[in-house]
Amino acid sequence: MASIETYTTRKGTRYRVRWWYRERQFRQSGIPTKGEAKAIQREVEAAVAAGRNWTRPTGPVPELGPALGQWLAALRRLGRSEHTLATYHRHVEAFSQWLRGDLGRTPLLADLCRDALEVWYDHKRETCAANSAATALTPIRMAWAWLWDRYPEEVQPPRRVEVDPGRV
């Protein structure tokens, strides 16, 4: 039998599904809605009843572009202004285009890391003022935290981006 637990983070209420399989306890955390938690609970109970353990479905690593689009759509649902969304979209698109050129391929979620953001910041710093480069970095960091909540296996945990203090 699986159970659903509720816990609170800085970002709001999250749900966790816990279950036992062959005398070991398992859990799936970070589920954003109760409906998703109930769906996972049903899947877990069906798998355990069939004599196997449930594992989170895995597939190909998602591309970064569509995932960033999901983040912008989530901000729109939260009621962010159209001007803010346009600005965030411009910065996110610039980062995505730069990363595509730097990698020579379509960027994946796994490519979102601190090193990439630091190199992009340095690139932006060469073409604009320090405060403009820092402003462009902000939505990327916000998206990184949001994506890590939704894709913890594919995205590295967000870390502080180190910028050269003499240049800010």
Side-chain angles (χ1 to χ4, degrees):
M1 197 65 162
S3 64
I4 297 176
E5 299 172 353
T6 304
Y7 63 99
T8 305
T9 66
R10 285 183 305 141
K11 297 185 180 194
T13 302
R14 296 277 189 243
Y15 299 91
R16 175 184 302 131
V17 176
R18 289 186 188 264
W19 69 96
W20 287 87
Y21 179 73
R22 294 192 180 167
E23 299 181 14
R24 286 189 54 211
Q25 186 177 27
F26 295 90
R27 73 169 188 234
Q28 173 67 44
S29 297
I31 305 167
T33 66
K34 190 162 190 168
E36 288 179 53
K38 286 183 177 183
I40 290 174
Q41 181 185 28
R42 286 190 298 273
E43 290 177 22
V44 165
E45 289 174 349
V48 171
R52 58 184 172 76
N53 193 15
W54 181 85
T55 57
R56 183 178 182 164
T58 58
V61 175
E63 293 180 5
L64 182 61
L68 290 172
Q70 292 173 358
W71 172 68
L72 288 167
L75 291 179
R76 180 169 277 112
R77 286 190 304 272
L78 290 173
R80 296 294 190 267
S81 80
E82 287 302 317
H83 295 292
T84 299
L85 291 172
T87 302
Y88 285 1
H89 181 268
R90 188 175 64 246
H91 293 311
V92 163
E93 187 62 30
F95 174 72
S96 187
Q97 291 288 339
W98 172 83
L99 194 56
R100 183 177 295 113
D102 190 55
L103 296 171
R105 62 173 169 78
T106 302
L108 305 174
L109 284 178
D111 297 323
L112 186 59
C113 64
R114 183 170 80 172
D115 292 340
L117 267 67
E118 288 175 353
V119 172
W120 186 67
Y121 175 83
D122 289 339
H123 167 75
K124 290 293 285 183
R125 190 59 189 94
E126 292 171 3
T127 59
C128 62
N131 60 345
S132 296
T135 299
L137 187 64
T138 299
I140 310 304
R141 293 177 57 218
M142 291 168 57
W144 186 10
W146 187 88
L147 290 168
W148 183 64
D149 273 351
R150 275 124 192 104
Y151 302 99
E153 285 83 25
E154 291 88 0
V155 178
Q156 296 180 20
R159 296 174 54 197
R160 182 182 172 103
V161 177
E162 300 295 329
V163 296
D164 184 2
R167 298 172 69 181
V168 176

